[in-house]
Amino acid sequence: MAKQYFKGSIGVKALAIDPSHISKSGRHTPGLGYFWSGVAEKAKWGLEILGV
C-alpha cells in the first residue's frame, strides 16, 4: 500500500493505521467478530474499522 501512495517520493515515508472498535449487538452484520478494544483492554463483540 505504501509503495502505491509514495511512488516516486524522496525521503522518509510513513503510513499510520488507526483501528477502532464499534460495538454491535446483532449477528447479521457481515464482518462481526471479537476485536480488541484498547479502551476496554479486552476483546469485544462488534466491528473493527480502520483509518489510514
Side-chain angles (χ1 to χ4, degrees):
M1 182 179 202
K3 285 181 183 179
Q4 178 184 352
Y5 288 101
F6 294 119
K7 189 175 185 177
S9 66
I10 300 171
V12 177
K13 298 164 184 68
L15 183 66
I17 298 175
D18 181 24
S20 297
H21 178 267
I22 300 174
S23 297
K24 293 284 290 185
S25 60
R27 297 200 177 265
H28 297 290
T29 304
L32 280 174
Y34 283 96
F35 297 99
W36 183 257
S37 170
V39 174
E41 296 183 351
K42 64 179 182 179
K44 294 182 69 179
W45 180 257
L47 293 172
E48 184 174 58
I49 60 171
L50 293 174
V52 179

